Amino acid sequence: MNVAERTFVLLKPDAVQRGLIGEIVSRFEHRGLKVTALKLVRVSRSLGETYYAEHKGKAFFEPLMSYIAAGPVVAMVLEGDGAVAAVRKMMGKTNSAEAEPGTIRGDFALTIGRNVIHGSDSGESAKREISMFFKPDEIHAYTRIDESWLRE
Ligand code: DAT
Ligand code: MG
């Protein structure tokens, strides 16, 4: 039995600046993932530090903080069967140089330090990240017209 799952996606400042918002959101919509929350926000230093807490102390942490705070980002919640894994696969490898063509990073990015997108790596991470960017009443429950055609 398939169970709808939530994941968190963030389009990083380079995606916004390079005009890739529509293209990337389109891929998720066409795959059948439902956008249940979406907004343009700035990531403050303290939010960035909490968000990327697992990388604190690493050599790339400071550059990562400057990057993520360099401009507005698009935060969203996507919902669908196996949403966490589906989005991770669509994103491609963390290092864009190694990401397969056909993936978001493989099609729109060249380096690890400007890899256009973040997606939760587990259901637990999704919960944590969603709560950092959205209040419960900013996440909308609704039925998409094609939903009955997305599974048997
Ligand atoms: P992902 O974004 O694929 O979940 P991650 O959680 O390991 O990857 O790292 C978060 C971000 O930090 C990643 O999107 C880019 C940056 N990063 C990770 N490893 C890096 C490295 N070795 N050098 C430079 N930046 C790195
Ligand atoms: Mg990660």
Side-chain angles (χ1 to χ4, degrees):
M1 162 118 162
N2 298 315
V3 179
E5 184 177 62
R6 273 182 181 173
T7 193
F8 176 76
V9 168
L10 190 139
L11 307 184
K12 296 179 178 175
D14 48 341
V16 176
Q17 295 296 328
R18 294 175 54 210
L20 296 172
I21 300 170
E23 169 75 40
I24 296 172
V25 174
S26 248
R27 290 186 178 212
F28 294 132
E29 287 187 296
H30 290 160
R31 184 87 192 268
L33 291 161
K34 177 159 58 182
V35 179
T36 55
L38 188 147
K39 66 179 165 190
L40 199 67
V41 282
R42 289 294 285 234
V43 176
S44 65
R45 172 82 200 195
S46 71
L47 181 61
E49 282 190 13
T50 311
Y51 185 61
Y52 278 128
E54 62 176 309
H55 298 302
K56 207 160 187 183
K58 294 183 187 168
F60 60 85
F61 187 75
E62 281 306 322
L64 183 60
M65 288 300 102
S66 313
Y67 168 37
I68 207 68
V73 300
V74 174
M76 69 188 106
V77 178
L78 299 178
E79 219 171 282
D81 293 358
V84 170
V87 167
R88 290 292 291 189
K89 276 202 166 168
M90 289 172 77
M91 283 165 44
K93 289 193 182 147
T94 304
N95 186 351
S96 313
E98 292 166 6
E100 295 291 330
T103 64
I104 293 163
R105 287 163 170 166
D107 288 348
F108 302 122
L110 284 169
T111 63
I112 195 167
R114 294 289 183 272
N115 62 1
V116 305
I117 187 167
H118 163 95
S120 308
D121 59 12
S122 68
E124 276 310 298
S125 304
K127 249 189 197 164
R128 178 181 160 270
E129 293 163 0
I130 288 168
S131 71
M132 291 177 59
F133 284 84
F134 294 102
K135 298 185 212 115
D137 69 358
E138 290 178 310
I139 304 169
H140 300 274
Y142 65 98
T143 305
R144 245 173 75 153
I145 200 163
D146 59 357
E147 254 174 73
S148 61
W149 291 96
L150 288 169
R151 59 162 82 101
E152 291 177 81

